[in-house]
Amino acid sequence: QVQLVESGGGLVQPGGSLRLSCAVTGRPDNWDWMYWLRQEPGKEVDWVARISLAEGHTNYKNSVKGRFTISQDSARNTLYLEMNNLKTEDTATYFCARVDPTRRWTNPNSRGQGTQVTVSS
């Protein structure tokens, strides 16, 4: 059973940076994708970025392209989300999630409890 625990959230001013981490216990399958999701206040969960474990391919939501970077350490023990030039609209609870090839990100195999990111002056 893969378990995920996020950390690194906090309060940051617009234009600032944060790096989120997701500790991964258990062994995801090689063909899984790891996602960062977020839920803005009053809205549904949305995907932000994803990375394929097999080849390291990445994809980003248009609104974060060029500002956010998803990565993983070589041992696949930790997933990261580097967030730069943060905007107030990035305020949300951020989750990491594991999704196997038979599922969509809306129904992940596992998801962490989330970490709060607040962008405000």
Side-chain angles (χ1 to χ4, degrees):
Q1 181 77 4
V2 175
Q3 294 185 322
L4 308 170
V5 179
E6 304 93 339
S7 61
L11 173 64
V12 62
Q13 293 186 341
S17 298
L18 278 177
R19 187 175 79 160
L20 305 183
S21 299
C22 174
V24 182
T25 57
R27 293 190 61 84
D29 292 336
N30 197 46
W31 298 109
D32 287 349
W33 287 74
M34 296 298 294
Y35 279 74
W36 282 101
L37 312 175
R38 72 184 181 188
Q39 186 169 25
E40 299 169 50
K43 297 186 178 180
E44 295 187 351
V45 176
D46 196 5
W47 80 280
V48 176
R50 68 174 188 171
I51 185 167
S52 66
L53 294 185
E55 298 174 332
H57 292 317
T58 59
N59 299 101
Y60 297 92
K61 181 181 176 69
N62 283 340
S63 62
V64 308
K65 280 182 182 177
R67 300 189 298 120
F68 289 14
T69 303
I70 187 172
S71 63
Q72 58 181 329
D73 68 351
S74 59
R76 299 181 183 175
N77 291 330
T78 309
L79 180 73
Y80 300 102
L81 186 68
E82 185 76 33
M83 306 186 293
N84 297 312
N85 191 21
L86 282 160
K87 304 177 180 182
T88 55
E89 52 264 41
D90 295 318
T91 294
T93 301
Y94 285 73
F95 306 88
C96 59
R98 177 178 78 93
V99 182
D100 75 33
T102 68
R103 293 180 179 234
R104 300 188 70 238
W105 64 266
T106 50
N107 183 30
N109 298 79
S110 54
R111 195 181 84 172
Q113 83 290 347
T115 186
Q116 177 66 37
V117 172
T118 302
V119 184
S120 175
S121 55

